Amino acid sequence: MYDSLIRQAPSKIDRLNNSDPCTTDSPGKPNNFSEQDYSKNSVQQGRSPFGARSVRSVREHGTRARTPLAAFFNSPKIILRWLGAFCLLSLIFWPTVGMGYTDRIVAIVNKEVITWFDLEDETRDEYSRLKAKFSGEELERRYTQKQREVLNDLIVERLQLQEAKSKGLSVTQDEIDATLRRTPLPATQTEEEFGQQLLLKKLFDFSVRRNVVIEEEELRRYYNANPTLFHTPPEYQLKHIFFEASKEDDRTRARAKAQAIYEDWLPEIALKDLAAQHAQSVRELGWVQEKDLLTPLEHALQEMIPGTLSRPIETPTGVHLLLYDDVKKPQPHLFERVERDIRAKLLKERGEEAYNEWMNKLKQQAFIDIKL
């Protein structure tokens, strides 16, 4: 583009030659009348050579060009030449203007393109998050990695939308409205983006999910092969002595009291009687599962056996002594009770395998050119 602009603006020598008053387009002056002779003649008439050349330019550009300088800058050829020079200098001295802030293609997916602006729009929030934690080379490395991950997601999305179009799949406004009545529109998503997600789900159901079938015999085989997955969790009968202590001074005294009881305890001594000797009380926790306990108590319980007392256990609220009385072992669930859970698990696993195979096939059949 810039070459065409520069070619339209002749060099200074050509421009002066073309506008020379000594050519045949200036009446009364012979063609062999030299520049030096004309300049000398101009000086004799009280004009400078520059002024002599400018008279014709003033006349050519009308009454608005009152001075030789105005005539020079009003010339269309001069304007074009300056414009071309400015654009060229911009690319040389400010390359970010031409590259960093100008949209460009970062990937081609069949006949469609993904641009830098598309990628930047998807990663802008992620960059802000990373910048708050990292800087320098580490920030650049993590952001580049994230850009490649997001670009891959955009390529996958573009391939799927093209596949949906080729299969004649679409989502109507009525379908979008019906879904939004059941599921509110996420705050970070537009209705158009929501409709696009519905279309991708429809494509997944059509191309992948409907081809994944789980027979009841397979469900039973899985149930019998994984008995530990379909049992009730164990339950533990527990008691404890609790020493409340939120301040450090209180916590020190609580540790000492709990340690004293722990050292005095014997299996044949009832914990209730021992606690009474130390002016403490025992609380029954009943039958509980591990998930019902505070994390420090859960970890301590895993190292105990029935009929034992734990060492002092500290939690944010104080110090505990835990007595492990008894346990109910896990019991298997009936197949009918877990059949739906097994089916959902196998459908998820098989669906992911089928999706990956389908997606790899789409990529192999597509033209993908990454330019990032």
Side-chain angles (χ1 to χ4, degrees):
M1 176 183 72
Y2 305 122
D3 291 341
S4 63
L5 292 177
I6 293 172
R7 283 196 296 270
Q8 293 174 19
S11 67
K12 182 176 181 181
I13 295 175
D14 294 337
R15 183 176 59 80
L16 292 176
N17 287 339
N18 292 335
S19 63
D20 193 347
C22 299
T23 60
T24 54
D25 61 354
S26 298
K29 295 181 179 57
N31 290 337
N32 60 357
F33 195 65
S34 68
E35 181 75 18
Q36 184 177 2
D37 293 337
Y38 183 68
S39 297
K40 190 182 298 181
N41 185 42
S42 300
V43 173
Q44 292 172 356
Q45 296 176 18
R47 295 178 296 170
S48 70
F50 180 79
R53 292 190 183 95
S54 301
V55 171
R56 182 169 178 266
S57 296
V58 173
R59 289 199 304 267
E60 286 180 350
H61 295 90
T63 57
R64 297 185 65 182
R66 297 295 183 184
T67 67
L69 189 61
F72 177 78
F73 283 105
N74 282 339
S75 171
K77 294 181 180 179
I78 294 298
I79 293 174
L80 288 175
R81 187 163 66 179
W82 275 99
L83 178 60
F86 175 78
C87 294
L88 185 60
L89 288 173
S90 297
L91 291 176
I92 294 174
F93 294 104
W94 297 284
T96 54
V97 174
M99 296 175 63
Y101 298 99
T102 300
D103 205 3
R104 60 186 176 91
I105 295 174
V106 294
I108 301 175
V109 185
N110 292 322
K111 296 182 179 180
E112 298 183 18
V113 300
I114 299 174
T115 68
W116 176 261
F117 283 177
D118 295 333
L119 181 61
E120 188 181 52
D121 186 56
E122 294 292 332
T123 58
R124 187 178 295 109
D125 293 340
E126 183 65 18
Y127 180 77
S128 300
R129 187 184 69 81
L130 290 174
K131 191 175 181 180
K133 297 182 178 180
F134 308 100
S135 62
E137 293 182 359
E138 183 65 14
L139 172 61
E140 184 67 21
R141 185 186 68 81
R142 289 177 178 270
Y143 184 55
T144 299
Q145 179 182 353
K146 188 63 180 179
Q147 280 182 315
R148 295 188 181 280
E149 293 174 1
V150 172
L151 180 58
N152 182 68
D153 292 341
L154 290 175
I155 291 172
V156 168
E157 182 182 72
R158 196 64 59 91
L159 281 173
Q160 292 184 13
L161 291 174
Q162 292 172 1
E163 181 71 4
K165 183 178 180 180
S166 69
K167 292 186 178 300
L169 300 177
S170 62
V171 173
T172 65
Q173 187 62 46
D174 290 341
E175 290 177 298
I176 295 175
D177 294 340
T179 306
L180 288 177
R181 282 194 290 270
R182 299 190 302 269
T183 306
L185 181 68
T188 58
Q189 204 172 41
T190 65
E191 186 172 309
E192 180 181 358
E193 293 169 338
F194 184 78
Q196 192 174 88
Q197 293 303 311
L198 288 182
L199 177 59
L200 294 180
K201 182 180 182 303
K202 183 180 287 189
L203 175 67
F204 175 78
D205 293 340
F206 178 82
S207 300
V208 179
R209 189 185 295 277
R210 68 171 183 167
N211 298 321
V212 179
V213 179
I214 307 295
E215 301 291 344
E216 184 173 345
E217 292 181 2
E218 189 174 358
L219 297 177
R220 288 192 175 275
R221 284 199 302 270
Y222 188 87
Y223 172 79
N224 294 329
N226 299 276
T228 58
L229 296 179
F230 308 107
H231 283 70
T232 61
E235 294 185 357
Y236 306 90
Q237 188 177 32
L238 304 175
K239 300 175 183 149
H240 84 145
I241 301 175
F242 176 58
F243 304 86
E244 185 176 0
S246 55
K247 298 180 180 179
E248 187 57 34
D249 291 343
D250 296 338
R251 190 173 290 272
T252 300
R253 288 191 292 269
R255 288 193 202 101
K257 291 179 180 180
Q259 185 65 28
I261 295 176
Y262 173 75
E263 292 175 355
D264 291 345
W265 181 82
L266 294 172
E268 59 270 19
I269 300 178
L271 185 62
K272 183 178 181 180
D273 296 338
L274 182 60
Q277 295 175 16
H278 291 267
Q280 300 295 327
S281 60
V282 178
R283 179 184 174 188
E284 295 276 353
L285 296 181
W287 292 96
V288 299
Q289 298 178 9
E290 289 183 6
K291 65 180 181 62
D292 300 326
L293 299 172
L294 295 173
T295 301
L297 298 180
E298 180 185 352
H299 291 167
L301 179 62
Q302 292 172 353
E303 299 176 357
M304 297 174 66
I305 59 175
T308 59
L309 181 70
S310 72
R311 291 179 177 275
I313 307 167
E314 292 194 37
T315 68
T317 56
V319 181
H320 306 252
L321 287 173
L322 196 64
L323 181 65
Y324 181 1
D325 276 337
D326 200 0
V327 60
K328 290 181 181 178
K329 295 183 178 180
Q331 298 296 318
H333 287 299
L334 296 175
F335 171 76
E336 290 74 18
R337 182 177 178 181
V338 296
E339 179 181 3
R340 179 178 296 181
D341 295 335
I342 297 174
R343 184 181 298 277
K345 178 179 175 61
L346 293 182
L347 280 174
K348 183 177 183 295
E349 293 177 354
R350 298 287 176 79
E352 290 177 353
E353 293 175 2
Y355 170 80
N356 290 332
E357 292 177 2
W358 171 70
M359 201 63 238
N360 288 334
K361 185 177 179 180
L362 281 184
K363 289 181 178 179
Q364 291 171 0
Q365 294 173 344
F367 172 79
I368 302 175
D369 184 14
I370 298 177
K371 300 179 178 294
L372 183 64

